[in-house]
Amino acid sequence: MVIKWRNWALPVAASALALLAATGCVSTSDAPAAEPTAAPSMSAARSVARVCAHPAAGPAKAPKGAVTVDPAVVGDLAAKTKSSPPNTTFWLRPGKHRLDPDRYAQVIPKEGNRYLGAPGAVLDGRKKNQYAFGGTARDVTIRYLTVRRFVAPPDEGVVNHDSADGWVIEHATIQDNSGAGLMAGARQRVRASCLRDNGQYGVNAYKAKGRISGLVVEGNEIVGNNTGDWERRRKGCGCTGGIKFWAVNGADVRGNWVHDNRGTGLWADTNNNDFRIENNVLEDNDGAALIYETSYNAVIRNNTIRRNNWVEGRREADRGDSFPYPTVYLSESGGEPRVKARTDKIEIYRNVLENNWSGITLWENADRFCNSPANTSSGVCTLLVRDTDRCAKPAIAKPPLYAGCRWKTQRVDIHDNRFVLDTSVVKCTVKCDRMAVLANYGTYPDWSPYQGERVADAITTEQHNRWHDNVYVGPWQFVAHDPSRVLDFGQWQATPYRQDAGSTFRARDGG
């Protein structure tokens, strides 16, 4: 489950509102929003969830009936969890709590357990323990607790290590851990927490068995993750991000401050569906602010996206790569009415994108489909064809498999956004100014029915991908069909592309 950027030329509720108000973040209703009447103003300020600098304090006294945990007793938390019944509340006194020194020592909650940290309560792995909280118990709550210095292996997590369902993580600080700070299960709520400086991911929303559904990530600060620089250590692994989502069916990601991560901010990779990504501030991430890859049906709206992709975009430009590396990247992802969701398209609207390295790229790799050696999500097929082996010749060359065996960038509606680029701020002269819809020339494998320009033609003019009613400020250019077709605004609006009807374009730099 890895993204390949360079393949274009290769063969290959009330209480919740109160909670979020306390963090300074924005909450939104699940009710459909009114259609926008104009692009948002660049002067509109959006508050951010500054929870790392101003963490909420937990209860200074043990709640009635709670079991008190003593930091002076090594392993007290795990031992009292083991000896207590389900649905017990534990109150951790101020101080540094430790587990037994064995690397596999961890807290195994029972169903309905609640863990509350007093002001100054820290669970410290001391760079010895791999996991903090594990097991399969449902409906566990962790609040007001700092969890730090655990050493989970790559792709594993420290809190909710086994991706149990129904966990609630609120007002927590999860920082300075290896691997992922937090794993995710179905119906998980992560709210008003600081996910900071973890070695690989802030959150790895992955479940080994079954899919994650009903995930809410709201009002968090997600900052400085991927300290281990895993994309360099495993080149092309696609194994990092402030948050990485895998096969999540239904997620609301709203009101978060996602910034200064080493790599991508938010990355949804492989058979995700039904996402709402809204009212977030995504800024100063080394890579793209958002990647939505081989996935379906999403609403991306009312986000402030600025100064992203300066590191990775510039690096590829300096290498001479002509691919339009964007700050919002849709790779083999689109709307699909046959996959049940709250929308049947990908709609990107009322966002402000300011001084990022390039804008939005819609991409489809002609060689990436089920059963192809070029499918980096190896062994995985689309949500339309469960059996990968069906995607083989001769059946794949005809309906329904011709369409069902590939993830398609289709039914993408980009409107009422504001795109601002000042090259004196970004400090660039070329390749930082692109908006794009394109594919590669299909060549591989030799039995592929998608060879030649078929996919490039389809994504460009046949799959209902549309920009309209946007505002552009700055020297924007547009790429269509393949990387060699770089267009000005007039060409982009003209036949055969006919994009950005009703949009305005002011070519000077700045906002």
Side-chain angles (χ1 to χ4, degrees), residues 5-8 321-326 329 361 363 431 438 483:
W5 295 73
R6 305 176 184 85
N7 277 357
W8 68 268
D321 197 328
S322 62
F323 188 88
Y325 289 87
Y329 183 41
T361 287
W363 160 253
K431 299 179 183 177
L438 77 164

mmCIF file of all heavy atoms in Angstrom, residues 5-8 321-326 329 361 363 431 438 483:
data_model
loop_
_atom_site.group_PDB
_atom_site.id
_atom_site.type_symbol
_atom_site.label_atom_id
_atom_site.label_comp_id
_atom_site.label_asym_id
_atom_site.label_seq_id
_atom_site.Cartn_x
_atom_site.Cartn_y
_atom_site.Cartn_z
ATOM 1 N N TRP A 5 4.627 8.164 -7.181
ATOM 2 C CA TRP A 5 4.439 9.473 -7.802
ATOM 3 C C TRP A 5 5.013 9.519 -9.209
ATOM 4 O O TRP A 5 4.551 10.266 -10.038
ATOM 5 C CB TRP A 5 5.148 10.528 -6.971
ATOM 6 C CG TRP A 5 4.632 10.747 -5.606
ATOM 7 C CD1 TRP A 5 4.778 9.924 -4.539
ATOM 8 C CD2 TRP A 5 3.893 11.870 -5.139
ATOM 9 N NE1 TRP A 5 4.190 10.462 -3.439
ATOM 10 C CE2 TRP A 5 3.646 11.661 -3.770
ATOM 11 C CE3 TRP A 5 3.438 13.044 -5.740
ATOM 12 C CZ2 TRP A 5 2.953 12.580 -3.007
ATOM 13 C CZ3 TRP A 5 2.761 13.955 -4.974
ATOM 14 C CH2 TRP A 5 2.512 13.722 -3.632
ATOM 15 N N ARG A 6 6.026 8.768 -9.473
ATOM 16 C CA ARG A 6 6.799 8.993 -10.687
ATOM 17 C C ARG A 6 6.454 8.045 -11.814
ATOM 18 O O ARG A 6 7.173 7.947 -12.792
ATOM 19 C CB ARG A 6 8.293 8.872 -10.376
ATOM 20 C CG ARG A 6 8.734 9.797 -9.256
ATOM 21 C CD ARG A 6 10.185 9.587 -8.900
ATOM 22 N NE ARG A 6 10.568 10.401 -7.780
ATOM 23 C CZ ARG A 6 10.383 10.046 -6.523
ATOM 24 N NH1 ARG A 6 9.845 8.892 -6.231
ATOM 25 N NH2 ARG A 6 10.756 10.843 -5.544
ATOM 26 N N ASN A 7 5.352 7.322 -11.714
ATOM 27 C CA ASN A 7 5.090 6.281 -12.690
ATOM 28 C C ASN A 7 4.558 6.789 -14.016
ATOM 29 O O ASN A 7 4.218 5.996 -14.877
ATOM 30 C CB ASN A 7 4.093 5.263 -12.115
ATOM 31 C CG ASN A 7 4.787 4.248 -11.243
ATOM 32 O OD1 ASN A 7 6.000 4.266 -11.113
ATOM 33 N ND2 ASN A 7 4.019 3.365 -10.639
ATOM 34 N N TRP A 8 4.465 8.095 -14.206
ATOM 35 C CA TRP A 8 3.880 8.580 -15.459
ATOM 36 C C TRP A 8 4.671 8.146 -16.663
ATOM 37 O O TRP A 8 4.132 7.995 -17.754
ATOM 38 C CB TRP A 8 3.735 10.100 -15.432
ATOM 39 C CG TRP A 8 5.015 10.864 -15.450
ATOM 40 C CD1 TRP A 8 5.729 11.307 -14.383
ATOM 41 C CD2 TRP A 8 5.757 11.278 -16.595
ATOM 42 N NE1 TRP A 8 6.853 11.964 -14.790
ATOM 43 C CE2 TRP A 8 6.901 11.969 -16.141
ATOM 44 C CE3 TRP A 8 5.555 11.131 -17.977
ATOM 45 C CZ2 TRP A 8 7.825 12.506 -17.015
ATOM 46 C CZ3 TRP A 8 6.481 11.673 -18.847
ATOM 47 C CH2 TRP A 8 7.607 12.346 -18.356
ATOM 48 N N ASP A 321 12.301 16.275 -12.281
ATOM 49 C CA ASP A 321 11.059 15.540 -12.481
ATOM 50 C C ASP A 321 9.958 16.498 -12.923
ATOM 51 O O ASP A 321 9.710 17.515 -12.277
ATOM 52 C CB ASP A 321 10.665 14.844 -11.177
ATOM 53 C CG ASP A 321 9.640 13.731 -11.364
ATOM 54 O OD1 ASP A 321 8.805 13.853 -12.276
ATOM 55 O OD2 ASP A 321 9.689 12.758 -10.597
ATOM 56 N N SER A 322 9.286 16.182 -14.002
ATOM 57 C CA SER A 322 8.247 17.059 -14.537
ATOM 58 C C SER A 322 6.863 16.738 -13.999
ATOM 59 O O SER A 322 5.886 17.395 -14.384
ATOM 60 C CB SER A 322 8.221 16.980 -16.072
ATOM 61 O OG SER A 322 7.902 15.662 -16.496
ATOM 62 N N PHE A 323 6.729 15.732 -13.130
ATOM 63 C CA PHE A 323 5.419 15.415 -12.567
ATOM 64 C C PHE A 323 4.936 16.586 -11.704
ATOM 65 O O PHE A 323 5.730 17.171 -10.953
ATOM 66 C CB PHE A 323 5.495 14.148 -11.713
ATOM 67 C CG PHE A 323 4.161 13.650 -11.261
ATOM 68 C CD1 PHE A 323 3.433 12.773 -12.052
ATOM 69 C CD2 PHE A 323 3.611 14.068 -10.054
ATOM 70 C CE1 PHE A 323 2.184 12.317 -11.641
ATOM 71 C CE2 PHE A 323 2.360 13.626 -9.643
ATOM 72 C CZ PHE A 323 1.644 12.738 -10.435
ATOM 73 N N PRO A 324 3.657 16.957 -11.805
ATOM 74 C CA PRO A 324 3.128 18.087 -11.017
ATOM 75 C C PRO A 324 2.849 17.687 -9.572
ATOM 76 O O PRO A 324 1.721 17.388 -9.182
ATOM 77 C CB PRO A 324 1.836 18.451 -11.763
ATOM 78 C CG PRO A 324 1.400 17.167 -12.398
ATOM 79 C CD PRO A 324 2.657 16.432 -12.762
ATOM 80 N N TYR A 325 3.897 17.682 -8.758
ATOM 81 C CA TYR A 325 3.769 17.307 -7.345
ATOM 82 C C TYR A 325 2.903 18.329 -6.614
ATOM 83 O O TYR A 325 3.284 19.492 -6.503
ATOM 84 C CB TYR A 325 5.144 17.215 -6.697
ATOM 85 C CG TYR A 325 5.931 16.021 -7.168
ATOM 86 C CD1 TYR A 325 6.716 16.098 -8.309
ATOM 87 C CD2 TYR A 325 5.856 14.816 -6.490
ATOM 88 C CE1 TYR A 325 7.417 14.991 -8.766
ATOM 89 C CE2 TYR A 325 6.562 13.708 -6.929
ATOM 90 C CZ TYR A 325 7.339 13.795 -8.067
ATOM 91 O OH TYR A 325 8.029 12.699 -8.520
ATOM 92 N N PRO A 326 1.753 17.931 -6.079
ATOM 93 C CA PRO A 326 0.796 18.884 -5.542
ATOM 94 C C PRO A 326 0.752 18.912 -4.029
ATOM 95 O O PRO A 326 1.372 18.089 -3.351
ATOM 96 C CB PRO A 326 -0.527 18.346 -6.071
ATOM 97 C CG PRO A 326 -0.334 16.844 -5.936
ATOM 98 C CD PRO A 326 1.153 16.584 -6.204
ATOM 99 N N TYR A 329 -3.497 15.794 -3.421
ATOM 100 C CA TYR A 329 -3.212 14.799 -4.452
ATOM 101 C C TYR A 329 -4.256 13.690 -4.421
ATOM 102 O O TYR A 329 -4.387 12.967 -3.430
ATOM 103 C CB TYR A 329 -1.817 14.227 -4.198
ATOM 104 C CG TYR A 329 -1.307 13.232 -5.209
ATOM 105 C CD1 TYR A 329 -1.514 13.405 -6.567
ATOM 106 C CD2 TYR A 329 -0.591 12.118 -4.792
ATOM 107 C CE1 TYR A 329 -1.023 12.500 -7.489
ATOM 108 C CE2 TYR A 329 -0.085 11.210 -5.711
ATOM 109 C CZ TYR A 329 -0.314 11.396 -7.050
ATOM 110 O OH TYR A 329 0.184 10.489 -7.965
ATOM 111 N N THR A 361 -3.680 17.955 -7.884
ATOM 112 C CA THR A 361 -3.418 17.059 -9.007
ATOM 113 C C THR A 361 -4.359 15.868 -8.943
ATOM 114 O O THR A 361 -4.473 15.211 -7.905
ATOM 115 C CB THR A 361 -1.960 16.566 -9.003
ATOM 116 O OG1 THR A 361 -1.094 17.647 -9.396
ATOM 117 C CG2 THR A 361 -1.754 15.415 -9.968
ATOM 118 N N TRP A 363 -4.704 12.292 -10.654
ATOM 119 C CA TRP A 363 -3.781 11.385 -11.344
ATOM 120 C C TRP A 363 -4.376 9.978 -11.406
ATOM 121 O O TRP A 363 -5.054 9.529 -10.483
ATOM 122 C CB TRP A 363 -2.453 11.376 -10.595
ATOM 123 C CG TRP A 363 -1.537 10.206 -10.831
ATOM 124 C CD1 TRP A 363 -1.295 9.189 -9.955
ATOM 125 C CD2 TRP A 363 -0.721 9.951 -11.976
ATOM 126 N NE1 TRP A 363 -0.372 8.318 -10.484
ATOM 127 C CE2 TRP A 363 -0.001 8.760 -11.730
ATOM 128 C CE3 TRP A 363 -0.524 10.617 -13.189
ATOM 129 C CZ2 TRP A 363 0.886 8.219 -12.659
ATOM 130 C CZ3 TRP A 363 0.368 10.078 -14.105
ATOM 131 C CH2 TRP A 363 1.066 8.898 -13.841
ATOM 132 N N LYS A 431 7.727 24.943 -11.687
ATOM 133 C CA LYS A 431 7.150 23.676 -11.226
ATOM 134 C C LYS A 431 6.487 23.745 -9.863
ATOM 135 O O LYS A 431 6.160 22.713 -9.275
ATOM 136 C CB LYS A 431 8.204 22.568 -11.234
ATOM 137 C CG LYS A 431 8.793 22.285 -12.612
ATOM 138 C CD LYS A 431 9.848 21.191 -12.557
ATOM 139 C CE LYS A 431 10.462 20.978 -13.939
ATOM 140 N NZ LYS A 431 11.552 19.975 -13.907
ATOM 141 N N LEU A 438 -4.184 14.230 -15.154
ATOM 142 C CA LEU A 438 -3.314 13.525 -16.104
ATOM 143 C C LEU A 438 -3.165 12.058 -15.749
ATOM 144 O O LEU A 438 -3.537 11.603 -14.673
ATOM 145 C CB LEU A 438 -1.941 14.189 -16.151
ATOM 146 C CG LEU A 438 -0.959 13.935 -15.006
ATOM 147 C CD1 LEU A 438 0.459 14.353 -15.409
ATOM 148 C CD2 LEU A 438 -1.347 14.636 -13.717
ATOM 149 N N PRO A 483 2.260 14.978 -18.592
ATOM 150 C CA PRO A 483 3.102 16.064 -18.073
ATOM 151 C C PRO A 483 3.618 17.027 -19.137
ATOM 152 O O PRO A 483 4.030 18.142 -18.806
ATOM 153 C CB PRO A 483 4.267 15.320 -17.410
ATOM 154 C CG PRO A 483 3.699 13.995 -17.052
ATOM 155 C CD PRO A 483 2.757 13.658 -18.159
#
